[in-house]
Amino acid sequence: MGVGGMALSTLLAQESLASNTLKSDATESTHATHFEPRAKNVIFLHMVGAPSHLDLYDYKPELQRLNGELVPDHLWEGLRLAFIRKQPSLLGSPFQFKKQGESGLELSELIPQLGEVADELCLVKSLHTEHFNHAPAQLFFQTGFERFGRPSFGSWVNYGLGSENQNLPGFVVLITGQVAGAGNSLWGSGFLPSVYQGVEFRSQGDPVLFLSNPQGMSPEDRESIISGINRLNRFQLADVGDPEIATRIKQYELAYRMQTAVPELMDVSGEPKHIHEQYGSEPGKASFANNCLLARRLVERGVRFVQLFDQGWDHHGSVKSNMIKKCQQVDQPIAALIKDLKQRGLLDDTLVVWGAEFGRTPMVQDTSNTGRVNDRAGRDHHKDAFSVWMAGGGAKKGFSYGKTDDIGFHVADNPMHVNDFHATLLHLLGMDHKQLTFKHQGLDMRLTGVAGNVIHDVIA
């Protein structure tokens, strides 16, 4: 009943607020997990533009043997591709592959450091999607629907589980390069209350737009203004009951708390030298390596969902030189992220996901439109078979699921649709994709629509 008891009750109240939601507040998560979760946080790495899985994860000796030969007629007839119009040649990978770790996962020489953590990876080689153009495929990969207006995967997770940190958003977005073609709908809340949308953090200037106080305004002035605005908002909320007003109240309050929490979070200069060497990060510099380090710092502080977008993987031409360049930018920091999470005891609770909107064709696309193998050879968009992987968070370790045919054109065994992928990720987070719903226009809407099956074979 003394001071210690008062302190304990305050801490317990804060924890309750962080992990649960006031049931009367329409802007807060009202869902507990449906069963015991394997993961509590997600770091989702989206390679914007779609890397060639055939040059990274899916080695095809037969494709190597047929390099330069015309794609077979039975595959070409009636085939619709984004850009290829003339019957092209097959294109084997110019890179060597090697079995890595005790698991023997076969990975490209382009990603040697990821090979060092191969025994942590659950590699899916049989993913397939519905769309072969970037924006609709990106939307489908992140929202389960090809058109604008649906909640992103991160928003569904934020809605379902809420945040563990009162001073930071439950869903944070970090971008390297340009924003993807589908824009901020990839982290939007759709028809969910907007409190669940992703918040973009920036590497330069204000980490979050307009977070700093205007010149000449003290923190006390800012607090007074926010308190006054929210008093008016609460009057209006009581009058009309619009959940977006409740969102506005919460976001004002969160933004004020973030003024202290975010600058400390984004300042990576205090990280030890060996950590920067491990990631290849540089304080004050915008880079994918810095964003990977920030992702670890975010989940360490209880942020539920961290989304990294890395632009520059759309290799219609010169796939060899472009893949070398891009892999040099991401291989080290991704491997470092997995090693760092594991060393800190965070990998078991953190699900790391790597993927893109679709894959790349096993045939040539080149700027001269000859359809023949040359130094400018690239690969077109391919929706029928591509690769993704998971690490940590209850996914099987050192495991390969599914396979494609001899040239990597179609799925040959254990297909996994994007809806199945989403259902499986939610399952690892302790949520049943059929029960995680939100009433919209008279329907109980869900991430997976009327489809999706949990693929238990990839769960440890």
Side-chain angles (χ1 to χ4, degrees), residues 355-373:
E357 57 263 34
F358 42 60
R360 289 282 160 177
T361 56
M363 64 278 281
V364 170
Q365 182 195 348
D366 69 276
T367 53
S368 61
N369 202 31
T370 65
R372 303 295 180 262
V373 175

Side-chain angles (χ1 to χ4, degrees), residues 41-298:
N41 310 92
V42 179
I43 298 174
F44 200 121
L45 311 170
H46 186 145
M47 306 294 104
V48 177
S52 168
H53 59 292
L54 294 167
D55 295 304
L56 293 175
Y57 306 112
D58 200 2
Y59 178 59
K60 295 295 172 185
E62 182 66 7
L63 184 61
Q64 303 298 95
R65 188 183 70 81
L66 296 173
N67 183 54
E69 295 188 15
L70 283 177
V71 65
D73 291 340
H74 72 277
L75 292 178
W76 176 248
E77 290 172 2
L79 180 65
R80 292 180 63 220
L81 295 170
F83 292 96
I84 296 175
R85 297 294 178 264
K86 183 178 180 180
Q87 189 169 1
S89 300
L90 293 169
L91 176 61
S93 177
F95 306 108
Q96 300 296 314
F97 281 68
K98 180 182 177 181
K99 291 185 178 180
Q100 302 281 4
E102 295 182 6
S103 60
L105 286 184
E106 205 163 23
L107 302 179
S108 169
E109 63 180 322
L110 289 171
I111 45 176
Q113 297 199 52
L114 191 64
E116 295 175 7
V117 293
D119 289 337
E120 301 295 336
L121 304 184
C122 180
L123 178 59
V124 177
K125 296 182 179 180
S126 55
L127 201 70
H128 58 102
T129 186
E130 305 287 334
H131 304 278
F132 59 63
N133 285 321
H134 289 291
Q138 290 163 1
L139 286 167
F140 199 80
F141 191 56
Q142 290 296 339
T143 74
F145 198 67
E146 70 274 12
R147 295 193 295 275
F148 297 100
R150 295 294 182 97
S152 63
F153 179 70
S155 293
W156 278 111
V157 173
N158 197 13
Y159 164 67
L161 298 179
S163 178
E164 293 183 311
N165 190 318
Q166 293 184 78
N167 301 323
L168 292 169
F171 178 13
V172 171
V173 178
L174 301 166
I175 299 172
T176 315
Q178 296 177 339
V179 177
N184 58 13
S185 292
L186 298 178
W187 59 90
S189 57
F191 48 70
L192 294 176
S194 56
V195 69
Y196 300 116
Q197 69 186 0
V199 177
E200 183 183 349
F201 280 16
R202 293 164 167 81
S203 301
Q204 296 174 335
D206 266 1
V208 178
L209 287 179
F210 312 116
L211 188 65
S212 298
N213 290 328
Q215 188 173 1
M217 177 175 283
S218 68
E220 293 75 20
D221 292 336
R222 183 74 169 250
E223 182 180 17
S224 177
I225 291 171
I226 290 172
S227 297
I229 291 172
N230 275 348
R231 278 197 298 273
L232 295 174
N233 280 330
R234 288 190 178 91
F235 288 141
Q236 190 177 17
L237 178 62
D239 188 31
V240 302
D242 184 352
E244 283 304 306
I245 301 173
T247 290
R248 200 173 304 133
I249 293 169
K250 292 290 182 184
Q251 297 299 64
Y252 271 122
E253 293 172 346
L254 175 60
Y256 183 74
R257 296 193 299 271
M258 283 167 59
Q259 285 190 309
T260 300
V262 171
E264 181 275 331
L265 162 75
M266 299 295 286
D267 182 9
V268 298
S269 61
E271 291 283 345
K273 181 181 178 182
H274 76 274
I275 290 292
H276 287 298
E277 291 175 347
Q278 184 176 346
Y279 280 86
S281 52
E282 298 179 46
K285 180 180 179 181
S287 69
F288 182 77
N290 277 30
N291 285 350
C292 284
L293 177 54
L294 285 169
R296 187 268 287 166
R297 290 169 64 87
L298 283 160

Side-chain angles (χ1 to χ4, degrees), residues 282-324:
E282 298 179 46
K285 180 180 179 181
S287 69
F288 182 77
N290 277 30
N291 285 350
C292 284
L293 177 54
L294 285 169
R296 187 268 287 166
R297 290 169 64 87
L298 283 160
V299 298
E300 206 170 29
R301 287 159 173 77
V303 173
R304 183 74 67 184
F305 197 100
V306 184
Q307 181 88 58
L308 273 65
F309 291 99
D310 183 60
Q311 183 263 341
W313 293 93
D314 192 16
H315 301 152
H316 291 279
S318 303
V319 66
K320 181 178 179 180
S321 60
N322 283 321
M323 285 292 288
I324 291 172

